[in-house]
Amino acid sequence: MSVPYTVRVAEDPADREACFAVRKEVFVVEQGVPQDIEYDAHDAGAVHVLAVREDGVPLGTGRLLTGGAAAARTGGDPAVGSLGRLAVARRARGLGVGAALVRAIEDAARSRGLTVVDLHAQTHALGFYERLGYEAYGPEFPDAGIPHRSMRRTL
């Protein structure tokens, strides 16, 4: 089944609210992540991307942290961006939305002069990111009570 959708950088407040709504649906409701840790101070300065169906229904989101906001997650290298909060609504899984969001975040990273994207993947999603060219490194660690691994891709 093919569902026409577009992916764009979330520039206006309505787009940002749609991003936060998808994150709440996936992380807070589905996965049980406490709402007070799902949203953080980095949201204000992050680049958010949004996938929307042609009728305007939000399907997925992700964000890119750069500079100081990314440094704590990436080892401090200013050329490395941090991909995070990638969430695809249940209704849109299997349609390629997640991969399209990752590529949009990578494009945003490139346009800001970054050469590497780092992320913390839930361990069940390692294969997804590996298919997109990411390589896992370091030990497994818990984040919000969910097992994760660090992954990285050179752009």
Side-chain angles (χ1 to χ4, degrees):
M1 182 182 90
S2 175
V3 174
Y5 63 90
T6 57
V7 176
R8 63 178 182 253
V9 172
E11 303 282 4
D12 64 45
D15 276 358
R16 289 221 172 189
E17 286 307 311
C19 291
F20 296 149
V22 172
R23 282 170 48 186
K24 181 174 184 175
E25 178 183 336
V26 173
F27 296 127
V28 178
V29 176
E30 248 182 76
Q31 297 184 352
V33 173
Q35 192 160 318
D36 61 331
I37 65 170
E38 172 51 33
Y39 307 100
D40 62 26
H42 298 308
D43 280 326
V47 177
H48 298 269
V49 294
L50 175 66
V52 291
R53 213 166 55 194
E54 60 183 9
D55 63 2
V57 173
L59 301 178
T61 188
R63 76 177 185 187
L64 172 69
L65 301 181
T66 61
R73 291 175 162 80
T74 63
D77 184 337
V80 180
S82 177
L83 182 158
R85 302 301 201 269
L86 189 77
V88 175
R90 181 175 276 139
R91 64 186 163 274
R93 292 181 192 151
L95 302 176
V97 173
L101 288 163
V102 170
R103 295 306 185 218
I105 290 169
E106 292 171 349
D107 289 345
R110 270 189 212 91
S111 73
R112 285 157 178 80
L114 303 177
T115 56
V116 176
V117 172
D118 200 274
L119 59 88
H120 293 165
Q122 293 182 7
T123 54
H124 72 81
L126 288 171
F128 165 78
Y129 289 110
E130 286 168 349
R131 287 188 294 279
L132 295 175
Y134 287 79
E135 293 182 21
Y137 67 92
E140 186 176 294
F141 60 92
D143 187 0
I146 300 167
H148 283 69
R149 291 270 317 271
S150 294
M151 300 189 84
R152 180 168 280 205
R153 177 172 186 256
T154 301
L155 300 175

PDB file of all heavy atoms in Angstrom, residues 45-46 66 88 106 142 146 151:
ATOM      1  N   GLY A  45      16.120  24.663  19.950  1.00  0.00           N
ATOM      2  CA  GLY A  45      17.133  24.968  18.955  1.00  0.00           C
ATOM      3  C   GLY A  45      17.364  23.888  17.919  1.00  0.00           C
ATOM      4  O   GLY A  45      18.192  24.055  17.022  1.00  0.00           O
ATOM      5  N   ALA A  46      16.651  22.792  18.042  1.00  0.00           N
ATOM      6  CA  ALA A  46      16.852  21.663  17.124  1.00  0.00           C
ATOM      7  C   ALA A  46      16.217  21.924  15.766  1.00  0.00           C
ATOM      8  O   ALA A  46      15.293  22.731  15.639  1.00  0.00           O
ATOM      9  CB  ALA A  46      16.240  20.392  17.724  1.00  0.00           C
ATOM     10  N   THR A  66      22.781  20.174  16.797  1.00  0.00           N
ATOM     11  CA  THR A  66      24.089  20.586  16.301  1.00  0.00           C
ATOM     12  C   THR A  66      24.815  21.356  17.402  1.00  0.00           C
ATOM     13  O   THR A  66      24.212  21.746  18.404  1.00  0.00           O
ATOM     14  CB  THR A  66      23.946  21.485  15.060  1.00  0.00           C
ATOM     15  OG1 THR A  66      23.213  22.654  15.420  1.00  0.00           O
ATOM     16  CG2 THR A  66      23.238  20.759  13.925  1.00  0.00           C
ATOM     17  N   VAL A  88       7.825   7.213  14.088  1.00  0.00           N
ATOM     18  CA  VAL A  88       6.870   7.023  13.001  1.00  0.00           C
ATOM     19  C   VAL A  88       5.584   6.472  13.610  1.00  0.00           C
ATOM     20  O   VAL A  88       5.610   5.472  14.328  1.00  0.00           O
ATOM     21  CB  VAL A  88       7.423   6.058  11.928  1.00  0.00           C
ATOM     22  CG1 VAL A  88       6.370   5.782  10.867  1.00  0.00           C
ATOM     23  CG2 VAL A  88       8.693   6.625  11.300  1.00  0.00           C
ATOM     24  N   GLU A 106      19.757  13.901   7.487  1.00  0.00           N
ATOM     25  CA  GLU A 106      21.114  13.914   6.933  1.00  0.00           C
ATOM     26  C   GLU A 106      21.309  15.093   5.981  1.00  0.00           C
ATOM     27  O   GLU A 106      22.363  15.748   5.998  1.00  0.00           O
ATOM     28  CB  GLU A 106      21.404  12.596   6.207  1.00  0.00           C
ATOM     29  CG  GLU A 106      21.483  11.411   7.148  1.00  0.00           C
ATOM     30  CD  GLU A 106      21.542  10.076   6.436  1.00  0.00           C
ATOM     31  OE1 GLU A 106      21.312  10.015   5.204  1.00  0.00           O
ATOM     32  OE2 GLU A 106      21.809   9.071   7.113  1.00  0.00           O
ATOM     33  N   PRO A 142      20.970   1.888  28.874  1.00  0.00           N
ATOM     34  CA  PRO A 142      19.546   2.222  28.993  1.00  0.00           C
ATOM     35  C   PRO A 142      19.308   3.717  28.814  1.00  0.00           C
ATOM     36  O   PRO A 142      20.110   4.541  29.248  1.00  0.00           O
ATOM     37  CB  PRO A 142      19.213   1.801  30.425  1.00  0.00           C
ATOM     38  CG  PRO A 142      20.502   1.982  31.169  1.00  0.00           C
ATOM     39  CD  PRO A 142      21.610   1.701  30.177  1.00  0.00           C
ATOM     40  N   ILE A 146      14.870   1.952  28.231  1.00  0.00           N
ATOM     41  CA  ILE A 146      14.853   1.179  26.991  1.00  0.00           C
ATOM     42  C   ILE A 146      16.300   0.964  26.544  1.00  0.00           C
ATOM     43  O   ILE A 146      17.079   1.912  26.506  1.00  0.00           O
ATOM     44  CB  ILE A 146      14.060   1.933  25.894  1.00  0.00           C
ATOM     45  CG1 ILE A 146      12.606   2.162  26.356  1.00  0.00           C
ATOM     46  CG2 ILE A 146      14.088   1.172  24.570  1.00  0.00           C
ATOM     47  CD1 ILE A 146      11.830   3.152  25.510  1.00  0.00           C
ATOM     48  N   MET A 151      25.214   4.770  17.413  1.00  0.00           N
ATOM     49  CA  MET A 151      25.478   4.457  16.011  1.00  0.00           C
ATOM     50  C   MET A 151      25.964   5.714  15.325  1.00  0.00           C
ATOM     51  O   MET A 151      25.669   6.836  15.776  1.00  0.00           O
ATOM     52  CB  MET A 151      24.221   3.939  15.311  1.00  0.00           C
ATOM     53  CG  MET A 151      23.651   2.672  15.934  1.00  0.00           C
ATOM     54  SD  MET A 151      22.314   1.960  14.926  1.00  0.00           S
ATOM     55  CE  MET A 151      23.276   1.015  13.736  1.00  0.00           C
TER      56      MET A 151
END
